[in-house]
Amino acid sequence: MPTVLPFSIHVPEADLADLRERLVRFRPLPDSPRRPTSGMSAQYLGELVETWRAWDWRAREEWLNTHPQFLADIGDTTVHFAHLRSARADAPALLVMHGWPHTFALQLDFADLLPDFHVVVPSFPGFGYSTPYADGPMTETRLAATMHALMTEILGYTAYLTYGEDVSANVNDLIAGSHPEAVAGVVVTHSHFPSIAERPGLTAPDEVAFFARLDRWGGANGAYGHVQATRPDTLAAALNDSPAGLLAWLAEKLVEWSDTPEGDPEAVERRISRDRILTEAMIYWTTQSIGTSFRPYYEGADQPGEMPQVEVPASVHIQRHEGDYPESLARRFYLDLRVFERLDEGGHFAIAEVPAVMAERVRAFAREIDLL
């Protein structure tokens, strides 16, 4: 049997002292003249840094460790995961995956609301407490195989539900499409995109308009991805050396991609609290994993390729940043589409932003397919 080792988070006191010293030496910059609208401002970053400097990490660490965590070797990576077992032995299993720039920690509030499920929340290889793949690229197919092995070979589940967002959205679809014998259903907030090669063949006006709109958005907002895909190590060297820089880089995306008013950085805390934002930064900082978290960008794991259609039951909930996503695309890809809706609230990080809403959606779907 594969070895599964218990794991708990403990940051050495020397590391905390070093972090505080760096934060004390923070050199703030004023906003640039005519600064473009973005999810970060000098004022908000200053507030975050000041809070981080005085923040009680030990209390947060203790909260994280109330969630049972483990390590397991899968191929050439050691995967870290939280495993929240239900009191019901026959409860359905649910795999919950994160993307970038978040970590497993941002998914825990959602997992806590599902005591009637066995919930597994892994860290992707190279993120936080999971080691990067030792050899070869980090592809969607490889990630799907690793996550499926975690659920079946390591944890022994013969059937499970799966959920993913951001980088893990395609992994979610791949797991469901490639392992219909083991996947009981797929929950989706980032619905399937046709591959780059397939998109020129789209003719429906709403489908063409959707991807044209995304292309326009990416031209104005996609610099982060281009840098992470082309100069990952240079950027990582700077972020790994400056906690304030790391915090600015991460928090900007949490702001911009959440369901918050444009140009209002502090509004993000109505969806994702300051404690949760700082937890994300702390995990990246103390594990020094920001560089390896860029691997999906420079190795192409964030680019949708052709993949098998999903035949298992699907429950699709369109998050607000993709509110104009055409239903026709979902119906062509998810062949047993049980639910298609557009969320009234919740953006890119849907289960973190509206955990109660999404927990009830998962529970309703499980009842629909006779798992509860």
Side-chain angles (χ1 to χ4, degrees):
M1 291 293 293
T3 300
V4 177
L5 298 176
F7 175 82
S8 62
I9 300 168
H10 180 75
V11 176
E13 191 59 42
D15 291 355
L16 296 180
D18 174 74
L19 172 62
R20 285 191 291 268
E21 290 173 5
R22 290 170 185 262
L23 292 171
V24 166
R25 296 197 304 270
F26 170 51
R27 298 193 305 168
L29 281 173
D31 290 331
S32 58
R34 304 193 311 277
R35 76 179 270 277
T37 299
S38 79
M40 187 49 59
S41 67
Q43 177 180 336
Y44 187 49
L45 179 59
E47 293 174 6
L48 289 175
V49 168
E50 183 178 359
T51 301
W52 198 3
R53 194 163 53 228
W55 191 48
D56 186 357
W57 163 251
R58 291 300 184 206
R60 193 63 176 166
E61 189 177 66
E62 182 178 358
W63 179 82
L64 289 169
N65 285 332
T66 63
H67 302 84
Q69 295 167 60
F70 305 89
L71 299 175
D73 292 336
I74 303 176
D76 62 353
T77 178
T78 298
V79 174
H80 161 264
F81 60 97
H83 192 188
L84 283 63
R85 293 181 182 271
S86 173
R88 283 183 45 206
D90 63 345
L94 170 65
L95 171 66
V96 177
M97 297 175 289
H98 67 84
W100 190 92
H102 48 323
T103 71
F104 88 104
L106 204 63
Q107 319 293 63
L108 293 179
D109 293 82
F110 167 76
D112 283 341
L113 296 174
L114 293 169
D116 42 349
F117 290 75
H118 300 303
V119 187
V120 180
V121 189
S123 299
F124 265 4
F127 286 74
Y129 306 104
S130 287
T131 65
Y133 290 118
D135 186 47
M138 183 177 183
T139 64
E140 293 169 341
T141 301
R142 191 176 191 184
L143 287 168
T146 299
M147 294 297 104
H148 180 64
L150 171 64
M151 295 300 289
T152 57
E153 297 172 23
I154 302 297
L155 298 179
Y157 291 117
T158 57
Y160 62 94
L161 297 169
T162 180
Y163 172 82
E165 59 192 23
D166 188 80
V167 171
S168 65
N170 287 328
V171 177
N172 196 42
D173 289 339
L174 268 172
I175 293 172
S178 303
H179 300 284
E181 76 290 348
V183 175
V186 58
V187 181
V188 175
T189 56
H190 297 230
S191 193
H192 174 73
F193 284 7
S195 71
I196 299 298
E198 293 168 332
R199 290 179 200 176
L202 300 178
T203 58
D206 59 341
E207 296 175 5
V208 172
F210 174 71
F211 287 107
R213 197 266 298 172
L214 287 188
D215 287 342
R216 291 193 299 272
W217 181 92
N221 299 280
Y224 82 97
H226 186 69
V227 173
Q228 291 178 183
T230 59
R231 296 295 184 271
D233 290 356
T234 307
L235 174 60
L239 301 184
N240 193 61
D241 193 56
S242 168
L246 176 69
L247 180 59
W249 195 256
L250 299 173
E252 179 185 75
K253 297 311 169 200
L254 292 174
V255 172
E256 291 182 352
W257 298 349
S258 297
D259 181 17
T260 56
E262 185 175 312
D264 184 4
E266 295 184 59
V268 69
E269 295 183 24
R270 295 199 290 268
R271 298 291 184 192
I272 302 173
S273 70
R274 190 168 297 191
D275 269 356
R276 297 169 80 197
I277 293 171
L278 294 179
T279 299
E280 298 301 293
M282 195 70 164
I283 290 173
Y284 278 107
W285 178 259
T286 57
T287 61
Q288 299 191 58
S289 60
I290 190 63
T292 49
S293 81
F294 293 162
R295 284 185 71 174
Y297 289 85
Y298 70 84
E299 294 181 336
D302 70 323
Q303 297 298 319
E306 293 186 31
M307 58 180 67
Q309 291 174 299
V310 170
E311 299 179 358
V312 302
S315 185
V316 174
H317 313 272
I318 303 299
Q319 49 94 5
R320 285 177 54 79
H321 282 267
E322 294 170 4
D324 53 339
Y325 176 89
E327 184 175 347
S328 55
L329 293 176
R331 294 206 172 275
R332 287 204 297 272
F333 185 74
Y334 304 101
L335 302 183
D336 186 4
L337 185 59
R338 303 295 181 93
V339 178
F340 181 91
E341 69 163 345
R342 303 182 196 276
L343 293 174
D344 293 329
E345 53 182 344
H348 190 82
F349 311 99
I351 66 167
E353 296 176 56
V354 288
V357 169
M358 287 307 303
E360 185 48 45
R361 297 300 195 274
V362 170
R363 193 171 282 114
F365 179 49
R367 287 194 293 265
E368 162 76 16
I369 58 177
D370 297 325
L371 292 181
L372 282 179

